[in-house]
Structures are given as structure tokens and as C-alpha cells.
Amino acid sequence: MNKLVEIGEAIKRSNRVLLCGHVIPDGDCLGSVLALGLTLERLGKKVIMGGPDPIPEIYHFLPGLDRFIVGEPPEYEYDTFIVLDCSIPERLGQGYQEFLNKDLVLINIDHHEGSQPFGDYQYTDPKAAAVGEIILDLLDVMKVQITIEAAVNLYTAIITDTGSFRYENTTPGTHRRVALLLEMGVPATDINIHLYEEKPVAALKILGAALDTLTASTCGKVCWMTITREILHKAGALDEHTEGLVNYARSIKGVEVGLLFHEISKDLYKISFRSKNSVDVNKLAAPFGGGGHTRAAGCVLQGDLKIIQEQIITAATLAAGGSNH
Amino acid sequence: MNKLVEIGEAIKRSNRVLLCGHVIPDGDCLGSVLALGLTLERLGKKVIMGGPDPIPEIYHFLPGLDRFIVGEPPEYEYDTFIVLDCSIPERLGQGYQEFLNKDLVLINIDHHEGSQPFGDYQYTDPKAAAVGEIILDLLDVMKVQITIEAAVNLYTAIITDTGSFRYENTTPGTHRRVALLLEMGVPATDINIHLYEEKPVAALKILGAALDTLTASTCGKVCWMTITREILHKAGALDEHTEGLVNYARSIKGVEVGLLFHEISKDLYKISFRSKNSVDVNKLAAPFGGGGHTRAAGCVLQGDLKIIQEQIITAATLAAGGSNH
């Protein structure tokens, strides 16, 4: 916690802050950036919050999001650069990476296992379920009052990165922190509706179409779904609507590895890997030029679908201890 | 809490206990019965745990479930009858209801709004997200050590009745109690896999088939899916595999009422209602001879599908403040 006190002091000394998360922003990075940014503004600091990529629609309800700048970071005389939820500098995106070389106090807060060390002040806690947890602790050691807007952002950060407390990163401390946030008046039901019950019809149509392609290996340990451009167009869906579909392939009894083959352009396939108990899909995806985490990874391959599926499914079946025959 | 102390004392005086939940058992009723039953056995009491209806497969992992008797309660010289999660005597099922008239100390613990008062000792807390929460508090006031088996059952009770902490019944106290359970060593990831990632293929096939029938009203406030006997058979699914499907109809942006028309036998339809924000589906289902809760209700109608759908969808659209035209 001492390192967090040090970071709190450094932040208190800042006046003109550039604050960002990572490319392809998720709930934890957005919620953490907004919670910290809004709080620093209340402390009278000039704060620019932003990131290179557009905000997925489900996060549009987040308080303060209208202040979030998408694209290149505005040129300005900052004194401090705060980076959240970003394991390697490359995940900042090109425009923000350039600020790493400027004469700024660099503060880096993350929770990824094996996060690269960079920054004048670095705080990485792989046991934190979300960076949102760390920001809550940081505001606590800074003795700053947490507004309801910040609390809503932190609640969102935590529930999205824990899969509503289902993932193995969820700790007793996660639940205790959420209890505090609810006591501050966070409207949890509304937030859950925003995140999980405002889907476009097309997202359900593409789910239905993907489930129609569901196939299991002979051994039952690998299960996959396929979305071609044709299937996508027929469902009236966009690529972003396929987010999370791979989890359905893993959710079957006896399945250890779930796969989604998603044609992102003609003969170019994004393959998503998810595992349940034993297979390290980070290692499984590596020979195919991909990677990620132990339970979630991905790769992109060009070529004929049948050949790609044959290769990946064979490798997945072997890794799962199953047999193709 | 004083009433809970009183109940704890009454339970401590018991020796031969009959313990049950309600018909069509769910995670809260099973988890609560098993947690309390296993604990009372450890205190040296003779305990019979049971209920009239079969246990859904997803709960087969619950510790102590092999001790749970399905069907008629065994005849025996009990001195105490403990009823959990049962809002009205009818929900005990016929066999267990008969024990209400016997000369037994009757203890009734529930959390339903408007629960009927019955029993020598009655404890109803509508603010408790699950009866599992009350049992945890009860064991605490009884100063009984909670074993890991009991903790697993209580965790299951709480996560199933709160929809993984997404429903509006989730309180700060819910999260604090779960923090305690995790600290006792509850293997949360394994339990979540048992509950949500061991689906039969047929459950996903019927989800896909149901999504193929997804239709929205002109106003977009009502959305429904239809499962006929033919669709069910074609997917190789059983009626129990349709559990929870109705939530997909509600999960769409702008939808206030989600409906599932499920043909349970020729021309006999079970209609499930779910609402998001404003419609009381308990009231909506009432003119059709059904009922339930504000956000979840159901009814059963005999007749022609088209006519039934016309009636229900018109009523739902009106209730949602939409228009058919």
C-alpha cells in the first residue's frame, strides 16, 4: 500500500494531467479512467481523458464519458501522464505512446500478470480483479471523497472485468469493495441493464446463427462455431456483435476448449479460444501467431476455412487430452 | 435479529428434524436446506432433508445432495419441521403439507414479499436476497462453525437467487456475506462452471432455435420467442432446457417486456413474462390466470397459438405504453 501512497502524493502534486487506458477500451479501462479523471477535476486539476479507439455502445451511459476524447491526444502542456490498465506500451496506441518520451511525470497502474515495467511510478497488482479496485484503494489512501459518478464508473470497471464476479480473479476484497460502492448509492440494477440488457436485435440474431453452426469434436472436449461474412450479413449484424459469442462454445458440459472462427474479411479468420479448467490457450494460440491469457486467447489466420479449422481443432483436441478418432 | 436468536434456540432444542424447501427446487432452496441440514447433523441431530420434485442436473454437484430425498417425506417420529424459502403452504407439495398438521415444532424461514404467515416460529425478511443469506446469519447467531460443505451450498443459494449479483435484490450485505464465504475457501470458479458452463448441447441448440423465432412488436417495447413441440424435438431438447430463455427476449435495447411462448403439450402453451423497468408482469399475467413477481411471471393457456399470441402481445404492448399500430 506504501507505493500507492507515493502515487497518491505524485498525483496530488500534478496540475495538468493526461489520462488514458488501452486500445479497444473495455469497462475496466474506461471506468477507471473516468473515475480517476472526474475526481482529479474536482480537486481543481486540468484533466484530459482519452484513448485512441471508439467507445463500444454499451459503455455510453458511463458518467463523464462526454468528456472522453477519442483519437489523437490533444497537444497541451501537461505535467503528468497517467496510464491505466495497460500491460505494455504498445497497448497505448501510437498517439499516446509518443507521450512516453516527453518530459512528464509518468504514472502507470495495472493489474496484468507479467505487465512490463515502465513509468516513474509503477503500481502493478496481479491479484487485483480490476484496475477499478486499485483506483478505489488509491482514492481511499488519497483521502478524497468518492462521488457517485466515480462510484458508478468503478462498479462498472469491477463487474465487467470479473464477468459479474464469476471469473477466478474475484476475491473477498472484490466483494467488500463492491459493498462499499453500493452503499454510496450506485444504481446497480440500472447499470446491469445498460451493460447486459440493451443489446441490438442483430446481436441476438448472430448468436442464433452462430449456435446453428455449433459442432463438437468426437471426444466432446472441443466445441466450435463459425461465422462467415455471409452468415453475418444474413443476420444483419456487425463484427462487434460477435463479442463474447465464443463463451457459448465453452459453456457445454465436457467441453474444455471453446472456439469461434470469425471471418473478418474474405478468407481472413479471427479465431477466439476459451478454456475451462486445464488448457493454457495462450500456449495453444502461440504456434498460430496468437496469444492472450491462460483462459482466453486469439489469433488471425489467412486461408481456406476447412484447412484452418482442421489445424486448430486438431491442436485444441490434443491440448485437451482428447482424440480425433 | 432477536427473532433469529429465538429460532436458533428452537433449532438447538430439536432432535429429529424434517427439513424441506419448495416444489420445483432452485439453487436457493436446495443450498439453504443442505447447508442447514448438514450443519444440524454435525450437531448430532437426526435430519431428513428432502422435497417432492427432482433435482435439476446443474445442482447435482452440491455437497450432501446424495442425502436429499426426492418424493414423499419418509414417515418417522420427527419433533421439528423446518420449512425454507416457501411463501405459501401449497408450495411445499402435498406430502410435506401433511406434516403441517402434525404435532411438530414448525419453523418457517423465508424471504418472499407478502409471504403467508405460518409456523410456530416464522422469520421472513423480504430484504434478504436469498434464504441462504438468512441461514448464514442464523448459523452465526447460533455460534455454529460453518463447514466448507455448508459454505458451498450457501454461496450457490446466493448467486443463483441474485442472478450472479445482477438482480435488484443484491445489497451491500449480500456482497459482504459472499466475501466471508470466499474466505472460508469456497471454490467459486468451480461452482460457476458447474452452474453455468456444463450445459447440454441441446440447451444451446434450443436457444439457437428460439432466437430464430425472435420477433419485436412495432413499437419495439415487446419482444417474444416461440418454441413449439416440433422446434423442441428438432433441437433434440427437453422442456427443462428452455429454462431462462425468456431473458434473451427481454435483453434487447428498448424492450420492456420479454415473452416466451412454449408449447408444453399439443395446443397447451406456457407463457413466461419478464419486464425490465416499469411493467408489473404479475398484474399483466393475472387476467390470464397466471401470476408471479413484478419482473417475472407466467401463465398457461390452451388454444390456438396465433390467438393466444395476439391476446398476450396486445396486453403486454398496452402495459408497456406502446402501440400495436
Side-chain angles (χ1 to χ4, degrees):
Chain A
M1 193 61 104
N2 281 346
K3 220 170 170 184
L4 216 49
V5 173
E6 230 178 82
I7 287 183
E9 294 301 324
I11 289 179
K12 280 192 174 170
R13 287 191 296 272
S14 70
N15 288 305
R16 303 178 306 278
V17 179
L18 178 64
L19 180 53
C20 80
H22 55 70
V23 292
I24 314 173
D26 60 13
D28 186 24
C29 120
L30 290 170
S32 297
V33 164
L34 291 166
L36 183 58
L38 294 174
T39 307
L40 296 188
E41 277 189 344
R42 280 187 53 256
L43 297 179
K45 299 171 195 304
K46 164 89 182 171
V47 182
I48 298 290
M49 302 177 258
D53 292 330
I55 314 292
E57 204 183 325
I58 56 163
Y59 300 118
H60 284 187
F61 75 95
L62 288 176
L65 197 75
D66 54 315
R67 306 279 328 287
F68 193 96
I69 296 168
V70 172
E72 292 291 303
E75 283 296 334
Y76 183 77
E77 286 298 311
Y78 305 105
D79 56 39
T80 306
F81 183 24
I82 307 180
V83 173
L84 302 181
D85 200 26
C86 204
S87 53
I88 50 171
E90 289 70 26
R91 297 211 72 214
L92 282 170
Q94 192 56 44
Y96 280 87
Q97 266 185 80
E98 284 171 16
F99 281 83
L100 294 178
N101 306 320
K102 298 194 180 183
D103 186 24
L104 300 171
V105 177
L106 176 59
I107 299 170
N108 173 7
I109 301 175
D110 188 33
H111 72 132
H112 291 91
E113 190 83 51
S115 185
Q116 242 180 57
F118 65 99
D120 303 304
Y121 297 88
Q122 154 116 3
Y123 185 90
T124 300
D125 179 4
K127 290 207 177 98
V131 170
E133 287 194 359
I134 305 174
I135 299 298
L136 185 61
D137 294 348
L138 175 67
L139 299 180
D140 185 52
V141 302
M142 286 174 72
K143 301 195 194 325
V144 183
Q145 206 214 320
I146 294 164
T147 62
I148 183 70
E149 287 77 21
V152 165
N153 277 298
L154 294 178
Y155 176 82
T156 303
I158 294 171
I159 62 169
T160 53
D161 248 29
T162 59
S164 296
F165 311 99
R166 288 184 186 180
Y167 300 160
E168 50 200 332
N169 58 358
T170 307
T171 65
T174 309
H175 284 285
R176 289 226 166 77
R177 288 182 183 89
V178 168
L180 284 174
L181 293 172
L182 294 186
E183 274 163 353
M184 289 173 196
V186 165
T189 305
D190 294 349
I191 296 173
N192 279 292
I193 286 175
H194 279 302
L195 290 172
Y196 306 114
E197 305 229 8
E198 294 201 345
K199 296 188 193 115
V201 175
L204 293 187
K205 286 292 180 191
I206 193 65
L207 167 59
L211 289 172
D212 283 347
T213 73
L214 191 75
T215 315
S217 60
T218 318
C219 65
K221 293 187 177 178
V222 180
C223 204
W224 62 92
M225 305 192 295
T226 309
I227 296 173
T228 60
R229 298 315 292 165
E230 194 192 342
I231 291 174
L232 197 80
H233 293 149
K234 224 170 144 185
L238 303 172
D239 288 310
E240 68 182 77
H241 298 145
T242 65
E243 182 69 31
L245 290 191
V246 62
N247 295 315
Y248 286 87
R250 184 187 56 185
S251 73
I252 293 167
K253 187 165 185 162
V255 166
E256 171 58 24
V257 179
L259 300 166
L260 178 71
F261 296 89
H262 172 195
E263 190 181 25
I264 48 181
S265 65
K266 190 166 163 43
D267 292 336
L268 188 68
Y269 291 88
K270 181 182 160 199
I271 300 111
S272 302
F273 302 69
R274 293 290 182 277
S275 71
K276 202 181 270 175
N277 287 305
S278 57
V279 172
D280 182 343
V281 288
N282 184 23
K283 285 186 188 157
L284 183 58
F288 301 102
H293 303 275
T294 315
R295 298 276 168 264
C299 71
V300 174
L301 293 177
Q302 173 100 43
D304 178 74
L305 176 61
K306 276 202 178 155
I307 295 169
I308 290 172
Q309 287 191 323
E310 167 76 22
Q311 290 175 329
I312 301 261
I313 293 162
T314 301
T317 307
L318 275 171
S323 159
N324 268 335
H325 307 288
Chain B
M1 194 61 101
N2 282 346
K3 220 171 171 184
L4 217 49
V5 173
E6 230 179 81
I7 287 183
E9 294 302 323
I11 288 178
K12 281 194 172 168
R13 287 191 296 271
S14 70
N15 288 305
R16 302 178 307 278
V17 179
L18 178 64
L19 180 53
C20 80
H22 55 71
V23 291
I24 313 174
D26 60 13
D28 187 24
C29 118
L30 289 170
S32 297
V33 164
L34 290 167
L36 183 57
L38 294 174
T39 307
L40 297 188
E41 277 188 345
R42 280 188 53 255
L43 296 178
K45 299 171 195 303
K46 164 89 181 170
V47 182
I48 297 290
M49 302 178 259
D53 292 330
I55 314 293
E57 202 183 324
I58 56 163
Y59 300 118
H60 284 187
F61 75 94
L62 289 176
L65 197 75
D66 53 315
R67 307 278 329 284
F68 193 96
I69 297 168
V70 171
E72 293 289 304
E75 283 296 333
Y76 182 78
E77 286 299 310
Y78 305 105
D79 56 39
T80 305
F81 182 25
I82 307 179
V83 173
L84 302 182
D85 200 28
C86 204
S87 53
I88 51 171
E90 287 72 26
R91 297 212 71 213
L92 282 170
Q94 193 56 43
Y96 280 88
Q97 265 184 82
E98 284 171 15
F99 281 82
L100 296 177
N101 306 319
K102 300 196 178 180
D103 186 23
L104 300 171
V105 175
L106 176 60
I107 298 170
N108 172 7
I109 300 175
D110 188 34
H111 72 132
H112 291 91
E113 191 81 52
S115 184
Q116 241 180 59
F118 64 98
D120 303 306
Y121 296 89
Q122 154 116 4
Y123 185 89
T124 300
D125 179 5
K127 289 206 179 98
V131 170
E133 287 194 359
I134 307 174
I135 299 298
L136 185 62
D137 294 348
L138 175 66
L139 298 180
D140 185 52
V141 302
M142 286 174 73
K143 301 197 195 322
V144 184
Q145 206 215 320
I146 294 164
T147 62
I148 184 68
E149 287 77 21
V152 165
N153 276 297
L154 294 178
Y155 176 82
T156 304
I158 294 171
I159 62 168
T160 53
D161 247 28
T162 59
S164 297
F165 311 99
R166 288 185 187 180
Y167 301 160
E168 50 200 332
N169 59 357
T170 307
T171 65
T174 309
H175 284 285
R176 289 227 165 75
R177 288 182 183 89
V178 168
L180 285 174
L181 293 173
L182 293 187
E183 275 163 352
M184 290 173 196
V186 165
T189 305
D190 293 349
I191 296 172
N192 279 293
I193 287 176
H194 279 303
L195 289 172
Y196 306 115
E197 305 228 6
E198 294 202 344
K199 296 189 193 112
V201 174
L204 292 187
K205 286 292 179 191
I206 192 65
L207 167 59
L211 289 171
D212 283 347
T213 73
L214 191 76
T215 315
S217 61
T218 318
C219 65
K221 292 186 176 178
V222 181
C223 205
W224 62 92
M225 304 191 296
T226 309
I227 296 172
T228 60
R229 298 314 294 165
E230 194 192 340
I231 291 174
L232 196 81
H233 293 150
K234 224 170 143 183
L238 303 172
D239 288 310
E240 67 181 79
H241 298 145
T242 66
E243 182 71 28
L245 291 189
V246 62
N247 295 316
Y248 286 87
R250 184 187 56 185
S251 73
I252 294 167
K253 187 163 185 163
V255 165
E256 170 60 23
V257 179
L259 300 167
L260 178 71
F261 297 89
H262 172 196
E263 190 181 25
I264 48 180
S265 64
K266 191 169 162 41
D267 291 336
L268 188 69
Y269 291 89
K270 182 182 160 198
I271 300 110
S272 303
F273 302 69
R274 294 289 182 279
S275 72
K276 203 181 270 175
N277 288 303
S278 57
V279 172
D280 182 341
V281 287
N282 184 24
K283 284 185 186 156
L284 182 58
F288 301 102
H293 304 276
T294 315
R295 299 275 170 263
C299 71
V300 173
L301 293 177
Q302 173 100 43
D304 178 74
L305 176 62
K306 278 201 176 158
I307 296 169
I308 289 173
Q309 287 191 323
E310 167 77 21
Q311 291 175 329
I312 300 261
I313 293 162
T314 302
T317 306
L318 275 171
S323 159
N324 269 334
H325 306 289

